[in-house]
Amino acid sequence: MTRSKILALVILCFCLKSLAQVEIKIDQEYPQYWNVNGTPTLLLGGSVEDNLFQIPDIKAHLDLLASVGGNYVRNTMSSRDEGNVWPFYFDKTQGKYDLSRWNQEYWQRFEKFLILTSERKVIIQVEIWATFDFYRDNWDVNPFNPKNNLNYDSNRVDLPTKIPTHPIYTDNPFFWSIPDQQNNMRLLWYQQQYVDKILSYTLKYGNVLYCIDNETSVTASWGRFWAGYITKKAKEQKKNVFVTEMWDPHNLDHISHRETFDHPETYKFVEISQNNHQKGQQHWENGLKQIDRLKASDYLRPVNNVKTYGNDEGRHGHGSKNGMESFIRSVFFGSAAVRFHRPNSGLGLGKQAQSVIKSMRELTNRMEFFDASPNNTLLKDREPNEAYCRAINGKQYAVFFTDGGEVGLDLSASSGAGDIVWLNVLSSQWSCKEIIQSNQVLDLKPPTAGPHVALISFK
């Protein structure tokens, strides 16, 4: 080996070691939250796409996210959008994919993404199986479709070449291949090789969380199988990983969600993005209810919201205002991670999303956020969805007003002099500090309309 090659290898090893120093784990003192490099850390984010590693201007996008205090993105291993590439080698001679060979462009994009996020201490939630890639028009071009690869035919693996239905009907046997279901050994082999390939990259880095599926409706066995497989593969390399599953029902009381809530031995954190289909007061109550349920069952661990819906141009019926409110409500009721969904289902990393992310980072850095807890009982004369409170009673209070309004804040547990500042969420600007005296009830009214947060502190 030449001297230059040895030097290049040393530099590469140094870089990999440096990147691996980003480490996410569950915080011991605050198990409801994540810990990054030894510090309890709230994850906040937004992005223009879900399969972020596939976009051409990824570096600039991550720089923008970091500039407003963001540190959390979603990454589906998806290839269904224009300009995307698939993970497998395409044999131009035969006009089909070879599932035993790799498309280096796909994996180079993925590794670049892992490096860039690690450098910026951005946490990635990787979704292994991009559900919608396996149905309808997307299945028609998917390399796993028997008509598109050289490795098996439809009869050999019992996979249809046409699946015209929505994923909710679970008509693709692709998701039934595991040993305690169809035991489809040939298909399972190629699935395993794909997951192994993903792990060959991600296990080098400490900034990765894992989610098995997107909005799945298949049986719990599928998620358990892959969660166990990923966990054991990591353990073989002396790595500790965190895995969850994302279910489809919008109602978090649906029994399918209990597969993650009630099984901390399999799923180290909980994903409740579907709660963001709820609005206003119901969104708050349903989210808080799940955290209270985890506490009651002694299963408390991080609760993530990787998809916050809401965009005036979107199809879900959730406007931009509700999207911003949902993001902030999730922070206030105790989500460990909150991200704006891609446009036009969410606000992505547009101007409004940037403002909210920056404001929430400003707020949580300025207060003793992890010691506080949601406490709307301290608010008097409150209308539904008017205001929300997170507090260390007697010491510090944050009150989020969705759009103007007026409430009373019970300060009977406080004493002496305190101060109040207002945060304009859309401008990320703080007002000047005002001195207040403790009393029974403090009247609070934002200075203008729009989303604001009052921060009241006593020594």
Side-chain angles (χ1 to χ4, degrees), residues 29-309:
E29 185 176 359
Y30 307 102
Q32 189 174 334
Y33 292 97
W34 296 105
N35 180 299
V36 179
N37 287 358
T39 303
T41 303
L42 181 65
L43 305 186
L44 302 172
S47 53
V48 69
E49 272 295 355
D50 296 337
N51 54 345
L52 206 53
F53 77 109
Q54 297 263 22
I55 71 171
D57 56 344
I58 180 60
K59 183 179 182 297
H61 200 61
L62 291 172
D63 285 341
L64 176 60
L65 176 67
S67 73
V68 295
N71 60 352
Y72 176 55
V73 293
R74 178 188 185 207
N75 191 73
T76 58
M77 302 304 293
S78 172
S79 301
R80 67 178 179 266
D81 297 330
E82 185 178 352
N84 291 176
V85 292
W86 292 93
F88 304 105
Y89 176 79
F90 185 75
D91 189 318
K92 293 181 180 179
T93 303
Q94 302 197 53
K96 292 187 176 184
Y97 292 95
D98 185 346
L99 303 186
S100 65
R101 301 171 66 186
W102 303 112
N103 178 0
Q104 293 306 316
E105 174 65 20
Y106 179 95
W107 299 105
Q108 287 168 2
R109 291 183 183 186
F110 188 48
E111 184 165 40
K112 177 183 177 182
F113 173 66
L114 289 165
I115 292 171
L116 291 172
T117 51
S118 293
E119 289 174 344
R120 290 154 182 78
K121 294 182 174 57
V122 170
I123 305 304
I124 314 162
Q125 188 164 311
V126 171
E127 284 172 28
I128 304 297
W129 303 112
T131 305
F132 287 83
D133 282 20
F134 297 87
Y135 287 86
R136 300 183 291 195
D137 292 345
N138 300 320
W139 177 244
D140 195 51
V141 297
N142 192 313
F144 279 109
N145 188 323
K147 75 184 181 74
N148 296 329
N149 69 65
L150 303 169
N151 309 92
Y152 50 68
D153 60 33
S154 186
N155 293 328
R156 179 66 178 85
V157 292
D158 193 27
L159 284 177
T161 58
K162 297 287 185 182
I163 303 176
T165 55
H166 188 278
I168 197 172
Y169 298 106
T170 66
D171 286 337
N172 193 342
F174 181 89
F175 297 97
W176 303 76
S177 62
I178 60 177
D180 69 349
Q181 293 181 321
Q182 291 185 355
N183 197 30
N184 192 335
M185 300 294 274
R186 187 164 182 80
L187 173 59
L188 186 59
W189 168 251
Y190 291 109
Q191 292 173 332
Q192 177 188 354
Q193 297 307 297
Y194 177 61
V195 173
D196 285 350
K197 185 69 171 176
I198 294 173
L199 295 177
S200 74
Y201 289 95
T202 58
L203 291 179
K204 298 175 187 175
Y205 301 85
N207 65 322
V208 181
L209 304 172
Y210 298 85
C211 184
I212 303 303
D213 297 285
N214 170 41
E215 300 178 7
T216 188
S217 297
V218 300
T219 69
S221 296
W222 167 265
R224 281 199 303 267
F225 175 85
W226 288 113
Y229 183 76
I230 291 168
T231 301
K232 289 169 185 174
K233 288 283 289 188
K235 189 174 182 180
E236 290 167 5
Q237 296 189 31
K238 297 182 170 29
K239 301 291 180 69
N240 187 31
V241 295
F242 303 91
V243 187
T244 195
E245 179 64 291
M246 185 194 299
W247 300 95
D248 182 69
H250 297 179
N251 185 347
L252 296 182
D253 287 329
H254 191 282
I255 197 168
S256 64
H257 288 287
R258 297 197 75 103
E259 290 298 320
T260 45
F261 291 141
D262 297 347
H263 292 282
E265 75 283 359
T266 301
Y267 299 114
K268 301 302 183 184
F269 70 104
V270 176
E271 171 55 58
I272 64 166
S273 284
Q274 295 304 80
N275 184 53
N276 295 313
H277 284 288
Q278 312 300 329
K279 298 180 181 179
Q281 188 71 30
Q282 186 176 13
H283 172 266
W284 169 273
E285 291 173 356
N286 282 353
L288 190 57
K289 179 180 178 181
Q290 309 316 315
I291 294 174
D292 288 342
R293 184 208 301 187
L294 292 173
K295 290 178 180 177
S297 59
D298 201 27
Y299 292 157
L300 184 63
R301 54 204 195 275
V303 172
N304 285 15
N305 272 280
V306 79
K307 295 188 295 187
T308 301
Y309 300 97

Side-chain angles (χ1 to χ4, degrees), residues 367 371-375 378 389-394 396-398 409:
M367 67 180 292
D371 288 317
S373 57
N375 193 344
L378 296 172
C389 180
R390 184 178 178 91
I392 307 170
N393 198 11
Q396 196 167 54
Y397 308 80
L409 175 63

